[in-house]
Amino acid sequence: MSLLTSLIKASTQFQTALEKRPEAAGEKQAGKTSGPAAPEQPASPTDDRFTRSAPENPDLAALKSRKLSVTDYKQTVGQDLAFVRETLRHKLAEYGMHPATAINVTRDDSGNVQVDGKLPEAKRGQIEQDLNHNKGFREAFNRLSVNEPTLHFVDNALKLNKAYGVNNSLLDTLVSDNQQFNGLQDLVHRYDTLRKSVGAEQVEAAGQRNHYAFSFNTRA
């Protein structure tokens, strides 16, 4: 009977071992989940999850300057330029002058039109008098005297910014955050106010002229 007793005892021990095995495995798994979590490794610069952030302080002044309607400004100024050129061309023809005669048109301190060029004094005086009596010409020339220099400044500043990435601080000062207030006359008004406040020398150094002169046929 000793052999039978040994077999029964061995079978009982084996069965007990089988019953305890899943419980031990469960306790081991529970120990894993209940223990402290392993620290997360920081992402390296080469990790696919790494994302480079955008600059925190973008140049907003330069961005708003690039939204200026320079094409519209050129159309507005171009209408007055065409009218002034055509009027001068007709005046030269009217007084029998060569159509390629070079003349300069300016304004005196009183706002009157002045004509200078390679033409006889008598005819120069007659053309000058006619232009001063031409209301349409005087109004167009007065607009050009303030609009064209401002347009040249804005256009050149934007071209330099596009070509070389150089921002013009004066232009950035003239531009409003609201694009509805960035018409050509708005910029002209702000420039005139700025010129009076900071002084003509500083503004002229930025590319503006204090006195306007219209040259006609200078390349002939």
Side-chain angles (χ1 to χ4, degrees):
M1 296 295 293
S2 60
L3 180 60
L4 179 59
T5 301
S6 299
L7 290 175
I8 293 174
K9 184 177 180 180
S11 176
T12 301
Q13 292 176 349
F14 181 75
Q15 182 66 30
T16 302
L18 289 177
E19 291 175 355
K20 290 183 177 182
R21 185 177 180 182
E23 181 181 354
E27 292 176 355
K28 185 178 181 180
Q29 183 67 26
K32 288 183 179 180
T33 57
S34 62
E40 183 178 356
Q41 295 296 326
S44 65
T46 57
D47 197 313
D48 292 339
R49 293 172 296 174
F50 178 78
T51 304
R52 189 176 299 276
S53 59
E56 296 180 358
N57 298 314
D59 193 342
L60 299 179
L63 292 177
K64 66 182 182 180
S65 298
R66 293 173 191 151
K67 297 180 181 179
L68 294 176
S69 302
V70 179
T71 301
D72 294 339
Y73 304 159
K74 290 181 178 180
Q75 291 178 350
T76 300
V77 173
Q79 294 175 358
D80 286 333
L81 279 173
F83 179 78
V84 168
R85 287 195 183 105
E86 192 64 20
T87 302
L88 294 176
R89 186 176 292 110
H90 280 296
K91 281 299 169 185
L92 290 176
E94 180 180 348
Y95 288 98
M97 302 298 300
H98 193 282
T101 301
I103 58 176
N104 291 326
V105 182
T106 59
R107 292 187 305 172
D108 60 20
D109 295 336
S110 300
N112 296 318
V113 174
Q114 290 184 322
V115 177
D116 185 25
K118 297 180 179 180
L119 63 170
E121 181 61 25
K123 292 186 177 181
R124 186 203 63 78
Q126 290 175 327
I127 293 176
E128 186 176 277
Q129 183 178 9
D130 289 350
L131 294 177
N132 275 300
H133 284 88
N134 187 329
K135 181 180 178 180
F137 178 87
R138 291 188 60 175
E139 291 178 347
F141 185 77
N142 288 342
R143 287 192 297 268
L144 280 179
S145 66
V146 293
N147 292 346
E148 190 177 26
T150 303
L151 173 60
H152 283 168
F153 166 70
V154 172
D155 193 30
N156 290 336
L158 292 177
K159 287 179 179 177
L160 288 174
N161 176 267
K162 183 178 181 180
Y164 304 106
V166 178
N167 293 334
N168 190 298
S169 58
L170 176 59
L171 176 61
D172 296 339
T173 303
L174 298 179
V175 180
S176 171
D177 293 331
N178 190 334
Q179 289 299 317
Q180 293 182 352
F181 301 109
N182 283 330
L184 181 57
Q185 296 307 313
D186 296 319
L187 299 182
V188 169
H189 174 71
R190 294 185 198 119
Y191 162 71
D192 186 60
T193 301
L194 185 64
R195 181 179 62 83
K196 294 176 181 178
S197 62
V198 304
E201 292 183 359
Q202 296 182 36
V203 176
E204 288 175 10
Q208 287 282 21
R209 291 178 295 174
N210 192 26
H211 300 288
Y212 177 78
F214 181 86
S215 298
F216 181 72
N217 284 338
T218 56
R219 297 182 181 179

